[in-house]
Amino acid sequence: MEFGPHLMLATLEGAVTAAVLALTAAGLSLVFGVMRVVNIAHGEFFMLGAVLAWGVTQAVAGPWGYALALLVAPLLAGALAVAADVTILKRLSYDPERTIVATIGLLYILQQLTLMTYGPEARPVVAPFDARIALPWVEHGAEGWRLTWPWGLGTTVWKLTVIGAAVAVLAALWLFMARTRAGLVMRATQADREMATAFGVPVERVYALTFGLGAALAALAAVLIVPIQQAHYLMGADPLLLSFIVVIIGGLGSLPGTLVAAVLIGLSDGIISVFFSPTLAKILATLLVALVLVFRPQGLFGKRAA
Amino acid sequence: MLRIEGLRAGYGAAEVLHGVSLTVAPGEILCLMGRNGAGKTTLLRAVMGLLRPMGGAVWLGEMRLDARPAHRVAGQGLGYVPQGRRLFAGLSVAENLQIGLMAGGGKARRDEVLDLFPRLRDRLGQRAETLSGGEQQMLALARALCLGPGALLLDEPTEGLQPSMITAIRQVVADQRARGVAVLLVEQRIDAVLPVADRVAFLENGHLAEVMSAGALRADRGRANRYLGV
């Protein structure tokens, strides 16, 4: 394949990664932004989303099973996160350091419980609909510009659906944060927890909701990607690492920064993986994190700590 | 009527307030004065429930406040303007007011408050941190008034402001007094107190040292210097 079509293919792959990453990282960023909790178990809620999707599609076959999984997996993962918040994080008074240790513990508990019940196999989930589509390319030949269909240049309907769905969910998240009462209360809590309390905001309930929403976003991302990736009990590690990379580059707690960084890291990950190697893509992403931490520790969009 | 009875509070194991009793009547401005570290801000924070009291009680009218969770205090009609304003940065002026309204008032209340601060009405869409210092203080006061308070707790509301702003803020506070709001005002400087206070209370090392009328203080300013160390 020539360079142009090859680049287009790589960009599409990168866009799928970026879409899923943006959803996952938005959850991590939201939790850190509002609660100042670094949730090391975030990747496990992603994994749970995929495993639950497998479970639901086994119970209810066909496209309806998948549609149900889209609803049930984020809800269950979110409910579990709310329970973890109330029983663990709240008791630690949301102390930034102790919650890191607690969420490391939560990571292993969720991972090992999944291993004990779901098992070590990677299992596929079938997309509710799919088809390969060939993509055109424009070439300049002897007769001027013409449309060609290079062999191998194509994608699947499902990948495009994943990108579209992620964009829609992120837009809904933005509307929720910017336009609803609950979103306003969350932003006020993020700005000043104590003053929010002084104005009647039930901060602990806001925290539980935020932690649940963050986990639900990760689980939803996993349900979208699992028809491409398969469900496995160790699949949470990569999304966690990439989410951290994205959140650090974008600026801790900044949603716009998270989205921009997700697109940057997702696209470059796709393109570098296709042309060179996935390992090089990770090396470069991690290098970028190091550079950001040295030269702009607050991230590209974060505010400098006062 | 805001009634504080034998209030003890502090940070961790360290007690800062050792049993302070005060009452502020409706339509009265009581100024709380004292040196740095005397416990003035601690007292306001404990009344708001932001610090769990170690003992004593706080009443607003017939409602006991200290036994409630902190987020249930404001809704009983306690408006708080903290030191350093502490607006919700990143939120617009309108959103800052909205948070205040959630704890109490409605749409009509918002219009009433904005009538008191016409400058804020022109800046509703602006982010709170982009306002000037004086406007930020107005917003902090407006946010507290949004919940239709029966008592106002103000922590050095005129600190660092230019004279015209100080006058405007004093005017609003006096206006609230006229409407029957009980005002507990923390101040460091006696010049800021005398024009507005009805009574003045002095805190010394976490104890209530003396309460006197503003008239008595005007006649004997030297008394205040003993507590303020000037």
Side-chain angles (χ1 to χ4, degrees):
Chain A
M1 202 188 294
E2 285 177 49
F3 178 74
H6 205 176
L7 180 65
M8 183 171 163
L9 199 64
T11 307
L12 263 175
E13 289 301 317
V16 175
T17 310
V20 175
L21 186 53
L23 275 184
T24 316
L28 188 71
S29 177
L30 194 67
V31 166
F32 180 80
V34 176
M35 306 168 66
R36 301 278 130 181
V37 165
V38 176
N39 180 15
I40 309 287
H42 194 64
E44 302 318 300
F45 290 110
F46 179 91
M47 177 274 287
L48 275 182
V51 168
L52 287 168
W54 178 83
V56 174
T57 51
Q58 289 300 302
V60 183
W64 287 112
Y66 186 85
L68 195 63
L70 269 178
L71 199 68
V72 169
L75 275 180
L76 279 181
L80 190 68
V82 169
D85 173 83
V86 175
T87 54
I88 304 169
L89 303 182
K90 185 177 162 186
R91 280 164 195 270
L92 300 176
S93 311
Y94 301 99
D95 175 83
E97 279 133 32
R98 289 192 293 161
T99 49
I100 290 181
V101 180
T103 55
I104 292 175
L106 186 61
L107 178 157
Y108 285 113
I109 292 170
L110 293 178
Q111 201 176 75
Q112 294 305 310
L113 280 178
T114 309
L115 176 62
M116 285 159 66
T117 50
Y118 170 83
E121 299 86 9
R123 303 180 213 232
V125 172
V126 182
F129 51 84
D130 208 359
R132 271 206 78 75
I133 43 174
L135 294 172
W137 186 252
V138 194
E139 246 172 33
H140 193 62
E143 318 86 77
W145 291 102
R146 67 192 179 91
L147 218 54
T148 63
W149 301 85
W151 186 85
L153 178 59
T155 185
T156 65
V157 176
W158 186 249
K159 284 183 180 169
L160 298 179
T161 309
V162 169
I163 298 171
V167 170
V169 171
L170 289 168
L173 178 67
W174 180 81
L175 277 177
F176 171 78
M177 290 302 287
R179 297 288 157 84
T180 68
R181 202 182 147 100
L184 174 62
V185 164
M186 280 165 76
R187 285 184 291 132
T189 308
Q190 170 164 4
D192 192 329
R193 169 189 178 167
E194 193 180 74
M195 285 316 294
T197 306
F199 280 89
V201 172
V203 165
E204 284 175 349
R205 230 180 299 159
V206 173
Y207 279 7
L209 173 78
T210 304
F211 203 63
L213 183 61
L217 282 169
L220 183 62
V223 181
L224 288 174
I225 199 70
V226 73
I228 302 169
Q229 253 191 12
Q230 301 203 336
H232 185 254
Y233 82 104
L234 289 176
M235 73 191 292
D238 257 13
L240 178 71
L241 176 67
L242 281 174
S243 293
F244 269 115
I245 288 175
V246 161
V247 166
I248 291 171
I249 291 176
L252 283 168
S254 155
L255 271 184
T258 301
L259 299 187
V260 171
V263 171
L264 182 75
I265 293 297
L267 282 182
S268 66
D269 189 84
I271 293 170
I272 296 167
S273 296
V274 168
F275 281 100
F276 301 100
S277 82
T279 313
L280 182 66
K282 296 278 187 302
I283 291 174
L284 289 179
T286 322
L287 183 66
L288 184 58
V289 168
L291 290 176
V292 165
L293 285 176
V294 171
F295 293 107
R296 206 179 151 80
Q298 74 273 29
L300 298 181
F301 286 70
K303 287 192 205 80
R304 203 177 282 273
Chain B
M1 166 91 78
L2 177 68
R3 206 163 79 240
I4 299 165
E5 292 171 348
L7 190 63
R8 296 192 297 118
Y11 302 87
E15 195 174 289
V16 176
L17 278 187
H18 312 289
V20 173
S21 299
L22 277 175
T23 55
V24 191
E28 180 189 39
I29 298 181
L30 175 68
C31 283
L32 193 58
M33 302 192 74
R35 288 194 181 93
N36 276 332
K40 306 182 298 289
T41 297
T42 304
L43 182 119
L44 295 196
R45 285 166 48 87
V47 170
M48 285 308 297
L50 301 174
L51 272 181
R52 211 29 56 236
M54 295 165 169
V58 179
W59 298 81
L60 184 62
E62 295 304 305
M63 194 70 71
R64 185 164 175 178
L65 300 180
D66 57 286
R68 309 172 150 257
H71 70 271
R72 290 278 175 75
V73 170
Q76 297 308 315
L78 214 51
Y80 182 36
V81 179
Q83 200 172 18
R85 303 164 197 132
R86 297 189 50 185
L87 298 169
F88 298 112
L91 271 61
S92 68
V93 170
E95 287 172 330
N96 268 278
L97 296 177
Q98 172 99 37
I99 295 286
L101 291 169
M102 280 181 192
K107 179 95 179 69
R109 182 77 204 164
R110 183 184 128 127
D111 288 337
E112 255 173 63
V113 170
L114 284 174
D115 286 344
L116 296 173
F117 302 100
R119 290 172 79 135
L120 294 181
R121 198 188 282 281
D122 303 332
R123 289 169 171 68
L124 283 175
Q126 213 171 309
R127 287 157 69 108
E129 69 270 29
T130 63
L131 299 178
S132 74
E135 288 164 353
Q136 288 192 18
Q137 190 63 59
M138 286 183 170
L139 179 55
L141 186 52
R143 178 178 65 175
L145 293 180
C146 272
L147 53 85
L152 260 181
L153 310 181
L154 310 171
D155 202 341
E156 300 195 39
T158 56
E159 192 191 12
L161 297 187
Q162 60 189 46
S164 66
M165 284 290 179
I166 294 179
T167 311
I169 292 210
R170 270 186 199 154
Q171 185 56 48
V172 172
V173 173
D175 181 52
Q176 292 302 310
R177 164 173 60 186
R179 292 173 185 220
V181 175
V183 181
L184 181 55
L185 172 64
V186 165
E187 277 292 358
Q188 289 263 36
R189 293 170 305 114
I190 196 142
D191 305 331
V193 165
L194 285 177
V196 291
D198 295 311
R199 286 188 302 145
V200 182
F202 293 97
L203 272 185
E204 200 172 39
N205 297 324
H207 294 279
L208 188 64
E210 190 171 354
V211 183
M212 56 168 69
S213 74
L217 183 61
R218 235 171 254 125
D220 183 8
R221 288 178 69 137
R223 278 280 275 277
N225 295 343
R226 195 168 76 209
Y227 301 114
L228 301 175
V230 285

